[in-house]
């Protein structure tokens, strides 16, 4: 996954803040934002994750003209592959996420993101069988080539769906 | 509104109810804003019949995002320098979540915080840390 052009826009920040239940006016109102310490609208701390919107190959977004694995007439739009990724339903689950902010994003930023694979490891769990973890490190750079956010994500594929309590 | 190092003590806590009775529609809203349309979060039929879960469940990143609101309200706008979490249990529609942060260390203009979010049964759903610049 790589993103060449992630346009940080005020309306996207507004919608993102709404979706996480954050009413802080710094995410909605440019005039109010001028009175705050950053002096501008900034993005909420987990906003960088929405770079998925700008990844042409992101596989958890239905693409025009391509089959989608969610339900329609049938419970899934494609034949289930017996790839052993049980419980993930496509791509596994998110186990960890870490962000380091070199500066906060604001509207007008044009970011690019590069992803490097990290470690992989396995663990046995009572609730989901064998777990296979894999790490990836994403570096977000701005229009000047400056590193603005370093993100580290860990995904997990489970042998079977996770037992819930 | 930023924190002052001189006012902080190790063990200080700040705790907020970040969502009450989480609605499926909010999960849909998060799918739309984040771009993560994994059907596990919004498509009950797929999630029950194909993936084998009892119902759709929230994106881990939605819990991280809602918990982030508690943090930024506490440390002030633009002050966060690090924020990382592990997703320790799934979050389901109908859950009520309490997010708590605890001061672990204050040094060199930085506060180090522990972050924990629990559900209505007191079960941890998110566990992590954050760091922020303080005055």
């Amino acid at each position: 996954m790589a993103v060449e052009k992630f346009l940080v826009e005020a309306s996207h920040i507004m919608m993102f803040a709404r979706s996480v239940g954050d009413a802080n006016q710094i995410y909605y109102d440019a005039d109010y934002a001028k009175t705050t310490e950053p002096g501008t609208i900034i993005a909420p701390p987990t906003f960088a994750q929405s770079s998925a919107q700008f990844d042409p190959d992101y596989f958890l977004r239905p693409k025009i003209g391509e089959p989608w694995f969610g339900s329609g007439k049938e419970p899934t739009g494609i034949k289930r592959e017996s790839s052993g990724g049980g419980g993930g339903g496509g791509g596994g689950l998110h186990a960890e996420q870490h962000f380091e902010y070199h500066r906060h994003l604001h509207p007008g930023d044009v970011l690019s993101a590069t992803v490097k694979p990290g470690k992989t490891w396995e663990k046995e769990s009572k609730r989901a069988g064998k777990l296979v973890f894999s790490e990836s490190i994403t570096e977000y750079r701005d229009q000047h080539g400056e590193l603005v956010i370093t993100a580290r994500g860990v995904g997990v594929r489970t042998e079977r769906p996770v037992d819930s309590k | 509104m930023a924190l002052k190092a001189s006012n902080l003590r190790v063990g200080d806590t700040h705790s907020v109810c970040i969502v009450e009775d989480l609605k499926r529609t909010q999960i849909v809203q998060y799918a739309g804003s984040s771009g993560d349309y994994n059907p596990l979060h919004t498509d009950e039929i797929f999630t029950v019949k194909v993936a084998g879960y009892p119902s759709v469940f929230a994106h881990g990143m939605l819990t991280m995002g809602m918990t982030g609101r508690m943090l930024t309200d506490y440390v002030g706008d633009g002050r966060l320098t690090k924020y990382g979490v592990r997703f320790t249990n799934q979050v389901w529609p109908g859950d009520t979540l309490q997010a708590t942060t605890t001061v672990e260390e204050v040094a060199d203009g930085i506060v180090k915080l522990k972050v924990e979010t629990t559900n209505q049964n007191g079960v941890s759903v998110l566990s992590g840390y954050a760091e922020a610049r303080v005055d």
Side-chain angles (χ1 to χ4, degrees), chain A residues 19-22, chain B residues 14-22 26 60 62-71 73 83 91 95-100 115-119 125-126:
Chain A
S19 73
V20 296
D22 196 330
Chain B
H14 174 72
S15 188
V16 174
C17 176
I18 51 169
V19 69
E20 232 182 305
D21 183 12
L22 174 67
Q26 184 171 358
L62 172 54
T63 305
M64 187 178 188
M66 293 190 295
T67 301
R69 189 258 292 186
M70 174 279 291
L71 279 174
D73 282 351
Y83 177 28
V91 171
D95 277 357
T96 293
L97 304 180
Q98 186 78 22
T100 304
V115 179
E116 192 81 35
T117 299
T118 55
N119 67 17
V125 295
L126 173 152

Side-chain angles (χ1 to χ4, degrees), chain B residues 71-93:
Chain B
L71 279 174
T72 49
D73 282 351
Y74 182 55
V75 304
D77 298 325
R79 290 290 183 129
L80 218 51
T81 54
K82 284 182 187 173
Y83 177 28
V85 305
R86 277 190 313 123
F87 304 109
T88 47
N89 270 290
Q90 282 156 299
V91 171
W92 306 94

Side-chain angles (χ1 to χ4, degrees), chain A residues 12 19-20 22 24 37 50 53 58 60 68-71 80 87-88 94-99 101 104 127 161-162, chain B residues 26 32-35 37 39-40 43 46 51 53 66 69 77-87 89 129:
Chain A
H12 190 191
S19 73
V20 296
D22 196 330
N24 186 339
E37 184 179 286
S50 63
Q53 301 274 17
Y58 188 61
L60 293 174
W68 174 243
F69 65 100
S71 70
R80 187 115 196 265
H94 202 168
E96 293 181 36
Q97 185 63 40
H98 306 262
F99 293 106
Y101 309 100
H104 288 274
R127 289 167 57 209
V162 184
Chain B
Q26 184 171 358
S33 73
S34 68
Y37 297 97
L40 291 177
D43 184 339
F46 171 86
Y53 286 99
M66 293 190 295
R69 189 258 292 186
D77 298 325
R79 290 290 183 129
L80 218 51
T81 54
K82 284 182 187 173
Y83 177 28
V85 305
R86 277 190 313 123
F87 304 109
N89 270 290
Y129 61 88

Side-chain angles (χ1 to χ4, degrees), chain A:
Chain A
M1 179 178 116
V3 175
E4 281 180 21
K5 211 177 218 186
F6 171 9
L7 305 168
V8 179
E9 292 167 318
S11 58
H12 190 191
I13 290 173
M14 175 188 78
M15 290 187 282
F16 189 89
R18 281 179 180 162
S19 73
V20 296
D22 196 330
N24 186 339
Q25 287 302 301
I26 196 169
Y27 305 130
Y28 300 84
D29 182 340
D31 291 331
Y32 168 80
K34 280 183 195 154
T35 70
T36 64
E37 184 179 286
T40 168
I41 289 177
I42 57 172
T46 60
F47 180 79
Q49 197 72 7
S50 63
S51 62
Q53 301 274 17
F54 301 87
D55 178 354
D57 302 321
Y58 188 61
F59 76 108
L60 293 174
R61 177 180 66 242
K63 299 195 189 58
I64 298 165
E66 291 179 25
W68 174 243
F69 65 100
S71 70
K73 195 176 281 182
E74 301 297 331
T76 177
I78 53 171
K79 279 195 192 127
R80 187 115 196 265
E81 289 172 28
S82 53
S83 58
L93 300 172
H94 202 168
E96 293 181 36
Q97 185 63 40
H98 306 262
F99 293 106
E100 196 173 334
Y101 309 100
H102 310 290
R103 74 163 169 84
H104 288 274
L105 307 175
H106 47 76
D109 278 335
V110 182
L111 308 181
S112 61
T114 52
V115 183
K116 292 183 288 197
K119 292 178 293 186
T120 59
W121 65 97
E122 291 183 6
K123 206 172 122 181
E124 200 58 42
S125 98
K126 285 195 180 112
R127 289 167 57 209
K130 190 169 94 167
L131 307 177
V132 181
F133 293 90
S134 57
E135 187 183 57
S136 66
I137 291 118
T138 306
E139 291 185 343
Y140 294 91
R141 289 178 189 278
D142 69 8
Q143 54 278 22
H144 310 294
E146 296 289 328
L147 184 63
V148 288
I149 293 179
T150 308
R152 182 165 65 84
V154 178
V156 59
R157 283 181 176 277
T158 65
E159 196 175 349
R160 55 175 190 269
V162 184
D163 276 344
S164 53
K165 289 172 194 154

